[in-house]
Amino acid sequence: MKIQSLKLAYFSPTGTTAAVVEAIAEGLGYEVVEDVDITMPEERQEPLQASADELLVVAVPVYGGRVPFLLEPWLRTLELDGTPVVCAVVFGNRAFEDALIELSDIVAEQGGVVLGGAAFIGEHSFSSEEYPVAVSRPDEDDLRGAKDFGRKLRKTLDALTSIEGAPKPAIPGDHPYKERKPRGPVDFINVSDSCVMCGICAEQCPVGAIDAADFKRTDPDKCIMCCACIKVCPEYARTTKPGSPVEGFAKWLNENCADRKEPVYFL
Ligand SMILES: Cc1cc2nc3c(=O)[nH]c(=O)nc-3n(C[C@H](O)[C@H](O)[C@H](O)COP(=O)(O)O)c2cc1C
């Protein structure tokens, strides 16, 4: 099948999903590539269309074993027309549960044909110096795997004469999906005196939760706990509040999810 262009759609507050997508794209090796980074709110205002001669790679981090709740409205604007699609999720070395099946179900409902899926490991958003979890993942091996996955997909696509003949990957997951935890206000970020009010945190917040007039204030109703603000702070002024549920969970992950998990591929 001749693919005219590759579209890469991804949400990646702390950069691990973006790194995986880049490696898959490298393996696919198409010349025309459109980057659709939907991490920031403005970019999620634009709907995405893709035709049958384009390939879409769509990738999201796993939140609570699911596709992040805030992405559902944007994903539902996808206008696909027999478009071949590759779905990828990135999880923090605990589990990806129903995130990949949920993503591929949405894509199929929007008119896409899922050619392949994969689940990768990324440093956990809650990982800290005190409670490290999957630090520096995806690493070289992970990215090599992602690139190989891209190469294999390219071979499959090149060998196909029509999308109707595409193999159907057996994506794992349950129906109904794992229940989402009810969302309440979250207040877990500590800002130390090292904050120089540079505002980088506010610029990088995917939900506009940081007060533009006082960068030390985060709106607990808007915050999605992605930890982008903690990871981008050049002064290391933002940390998890001691005794907060996020710190407790980081400790639990550090103790219970220390064994290295490997990426899995479905083709
Ligand atoms: C609110 C929230 C929920 C998460 N839930 C899970 C989970 O269920 N399983 C898991 O292994 N990792 C989980 N993670 C970790 C992220 O999936 C992981 O760190 C991912 O690499 C982050 O992607 P990003 O770097 O593109 O933001 C969660 C992270 C956040 C912020």
Side-chain angles (χ1 to χ4, degrees):
M1 253 178 72
K2 181 108 180 84
I3 296 294
Q4 302 296 343
S5 75
L6 170 63
K7 289 186 168 168
L8 307 172
Y10 54 94
F11 176 78
S12 189
T14 64
T16 63
T17 308
V20 162
V21 167
E22 201 181 308
I24 297 174
E26 217 184 307
L28 282 163
Y30 289 110
E31 268 168 32
V32 185
V33 182
E34 189 188 331
D35 208 53
V36 186
D37 179 350
I38 53 157
T39 309
M40 299 308 287
E42 315 80 66
E43 282 116 29
R44 294 193 299 276
Q45 298 304 311
E46 298 290 319
L48 179 69
Q49 294 162 340
S51 57
D53 61 359
E54 294 177 305
L55 174 65
L56 173 66
V57 174
V58 58
V60 303
V62 175
Y63 283 6
R66 300 277 306 267
V67 168
F69 179 65
L70 92 154
L71 297 182
E72 182 147 0
W74 184 85
L75 288 166
R76 290 290 175 198
T77 69
L78 282 173
E79 278 180 46
L80 309 175
D81 181 17
T83 311
V85 183
V86 178
C87 295
V89 298
V90 182
F91 67 104
N93 208 51
R94 187 188 67 77
F96 65 96
E97 292 162 312
D98 301 328
L100 190 57
I101 191 86
E102 182 181 13
L103 185 61
S104 54
D105 286 347
I106 296 175
V107 158
E109 283 160 23
Q110 298 305 119
V113 179
V114 178
L115 280 187
F120 296 89
I121 294 86
E123 175 167 325
H124 203 292
S125 320
F126 301 164
S127 176
S128 62
E129 229 172 276
E130 193 175 9
Y131 301 119
V133 187
V135 173
S136 300
R137 306 279 304 269
D139 60 14
E140 260 181 46
D141 284 347
D142 295 319
L143 295 177
R144 201 173 306 117
K147 203 170 156 183
D148 278 351
F149 176 58
R151 275 199 208 100
K152 281 184 192 141
L153 286 159
R154 176 67 188 261
K155 267 196 181 163
T156 306
L157 276 159
D158 287 349
L160 274 182
T161 44
S162 76
I163 195 72
E164 285 75 34
K168 290 196 174 30
I171 308 274
D174 289 333
H175 295 101
Y177 310 131
K178 183 181 177 184
E179 220 169 295
R180 291 189 196 276
K181 292 225 169 74
R183 249 189 65 84
V186 282
D187 173 21
F188 72 99
I189 293 168
N190 205 31
V191 186
S192 77
D193 290 345
S194 318
C195 172
V196 294
M197 289 284 179
C198 68
I200 292 176
C201 53
E203 274 167 28
Q204 303 284 322
C205 176
V207 289
I210 298 172
D211 193 331
D214 178 1
F215 303 128
K216 292 187 176 181
R217 291 164 63 98
T218 304
D219 184 337
D221 292 313
K222 285 189 183 164
C223 176
I224 55 164
M225 302 191 293
C226 72
C227 300
C229 62
I230 294 180
K231 306 225 171 177
V232 295
C233 176
E235 306 298 329
Y236 306 101
R238 300 177 77 93
T239 50
T240 303
K241 273 187 184 162
S244 65
V246 168
E247 195 209 45
F249 196 46
K251 183 172 186 290
W252 182 89
L253 288 162
N254 173 267
E255 287 163 2
N256 295 280
C257 301
D259 290 348
R260 181 187 173 91
K261 296 200 168 77
E262 295 298 341
V264 280
Y265 305 96
F266 308 96
L267 281 164

